[in-house]
Amino acid sequence: MVYPDTFEGFMIESQKDWSTFKKQEERFASAPGLGKVLTKDVASDVHTITGGWGECNLPLCVGHEIVGKAIKVGPKVTTVKVGDRVGVGAQISACLECRICQSDNENYCPRQVDTYNAPYPDGTISQGGYSSHIRAHEYFTFPVPENIPSELAAPMFCAGLTSWSPLVRAGVGPGKKVAILGIGGLGHYGLMFAAALGAETYAISHSPSKKEDALALGAKEFITTGDKDWAKPWAMTFDFILNTADMTHTFNMNDYMSTLAVNGVFHNVGLPDKPLPPLMAQDFAPNGCAISGSHIGSRPEVLAMLKLVSNANIKSWVQTIDISEDGCKEAVERVKYGKDVRYRFTLVGHEKAFGT
């Protein structure tokens, strides 16, 4: 198969008209080739196209949880061959030479390139997976185990990894009490991964309707923050809280921090459009707790996550939508307005949309 010099993608032209997608043809950035794609995550895309995370480059093709087949590889590529089914997440490049990259922290490289809306060194802007093809560096292109269907694998490359990395870096496992805050795209992975790692796992949510789902995903108990004095029975309990919610700016942080054990950590992977609530230094003193955050994960962490998912037969909770101008619009609007999303969308039907 001849690899094209251009790709087709469903792109936005204005953040004011953020849910209107138009099919367009664009030239590739100057990076090694990947191939035909199946995508994706929608939640972070919504923050970008609506302007919640600031202005973006336009026109823009979003999409950063991608599965497809490699149809061309560069001459120095050793980890991917033509025909491989592979995945790409929210990062497609880094320098791979600095001390940060050399310590398996390439997801924090100062010269990293995000999968979309990021400049390459030559100034070209990266474009994402609502498209016929993408290009990515081999280090950020991952083999998908045969027993993981593509539509279930795709969301793992950002939402899954974003939840997985902080859990393993925190040493979550047997003997640890872990709470997953927010039962959505990231949170449902947090519950499944924490339970699979052997931790005593709890779900915290403002939505009582999610109780049965949370228990099915691996939670031992379900905690509803809408209850009066909800935090008091859980005082100084959790070694680690993984906050996947993107409404943290509305939280009474002292309630959540009070549920942390001595030296417990409140870790943020949900990224709100607005600043976090104000805190006093004294708020950290009663239990010596800490607040932290993280950005996706490293290649070794991706490979370890996929191995566990394959071996433990972990299944993403996914709904599929055919990719098209209308399909993209439906997906982002349902996520933006919280209309029946359980718990990730995957856009499918790329062959029909692009004829590839």
Side-chain angles (χ1 to χ4, degrees):
M1 178 180 291
V2 177
Y3 194 85
D5 294 322
T6 61
F7 70 92
E8 288 186 299
F10 293 101
M11 311 181 79
I12 66 157
E13 297 180 330
S14 167
Q15 287 179 295
K16 291 182 179 179
D17 194 15
W18 55 269
S19 65
T20 297
F21 291 81
K22 294 183 179 180
K23 188 178 180 182
Q24 301 182 34
E25 185 175 24
E26 294 284 336
R27 294 195 66 82
F28 278 111
S30 53
L34 174 57
K36 299 164 67 173
V37 300
L38 170 84
T39 181
K40 84 106 300 249
D41 152 54
V42 175
S44 297
D45 298 336
V46 170
H47 287 288
T48 299
I49 62 180
T50 60
W53 289 350
E55 293 184 4
C56 66
N57 297 283
L58 297 168
L60 183 65
C61 182
V62 293
H64 62 277
E65 292 175 336
I66 303 161
V67 170
K69 286 189 176 181
I71 62 171
K72 185 177 181 180
V73 299
K76 296 182 180 180
V77 171
T78 61
T79 59
V80 179
K81 64 182 184 298
V82 172
D84 285 352
R85 188 170 62 113
V86 291
V88 172
Q91 182 178 0
I92 52 173
S93 185
C95 78
L96 301 179
E97 297 174 350
C98 68
R99 62 180 176 82
I100 297 171
C101 287
Q102 292 296 307
S103 63
D104 289 333
N105 286 299
E106 69 278 358
N107 46 310
Y108 297 106
C109 176
R111 289 184 280 173
Q112 68 176 289
V113 178
D114 294 333
T115 300
Y116 65 77
N117 193 41
Y120 281 94
D122 66 358
T124 307
I125 301 300
S126 60
Q127 301 287 351
Y130 288 19
S131 57
S132 59
H133 304 75
I134 70 158
R135 293 182 177 183
H137 190 283
E138 67 171 318
Y139 198 77
F140 302 94
T141 305
F142 310 100
V144 180
E146 290 185 4
N147 65 332
I148 306 178
S150 294
E151 68 273 15
L152 303 187
M156 295 178 186
F157 288 103
C158 183
L161 178 61
T162 297
S163 297
W164 171 263
S165 175
L167 291 173
V168 295
R169 293 193 184 206
V172 165
K176 298 283 188 177
K177 290 187 177 181
V178 175
I180 308 301
L181 171 53
I183 315 305
L186 276 68
H188 97 286
Y189 283 120
L191 288 171
M192 291 190 291
F193 290 159
L197 289 167
E200 190 173 304
T201 304
Y202 297 79
I204 303 178
S205 176
H206 73 284
S207 302
S209 64
K210 294 185 178 180
K211 179 177 180 178
E212 295 306 315
D213 284 356
L215 297 177
L217 287 161
K220 178 181 178 180
E221 293 193 45
F222 183 83
I223 302 166
T224 304
T225 59
D227 294 342
K228 183 179 180 181
D229 297 327
W230 70 268
K232 288 185 178 180
W234 304 100
M236 303 185 78
T237 297
F238 302 116
D239 299 295
F240 191 79
I241 295 177
L242 183 68
N243 176 28
T244 71
D246 66 357
M247 296 295 290
T248 311
H249 60 283
T250 68
F251 289 0
N252 180 342
M253 286 299 297
N254 286 319
D255 284 347
Y256 294 92
M257 293 164 66
S258 73
T259 69
L260 289 167
V262 174
N263 298 141
V265 175
F266 185 95
H267 187 91
N268 295 280
V269 290
L271 303 178
D273 292 348
K274 298 180 180 180
L276 298 179
L279 287 167
M280 299 287 288
Q282 295 92 319
D283 295 334
F284 298 86
N287 51 2
C289 66
I291 295 179
S292 59
S294 58
H295 175 247
I296 52 176
S298 68
R299 179 179 178 87
E301 288 168 341
V302 175
L303 298 177
M305 174 189 69
L306 292 173
K307 182 178 180 180
L308 176 71
V309 168
S310 177
N311 291 342
N313 199 31
I314 293 173
K315 303 290 188 184
S316 308
W317 288 28
V318 162
Q319 296 164 290
T320 60
I321 296 177
D322 285 339
I323 190 167
S324 65
E325 292 178 353
D326 290 340
C328 293
K329 180 181 181 68
E330 177 189 348
V332 298
E333 288 185 349
R334 284 175 63 183
V335 168
K336 172 66 175 176
Y337 301 120
K339 295 182 178 178
D340 187 29
V341 183
R342 291 291 193 276
Y343 281 101
R344 217 64 175 167
F345 284 134
T346 301
L347 297 174
V348 297
H350 285 61
E351 293 81 0
K352 179 180 178 181
F354 300 110
T356 56

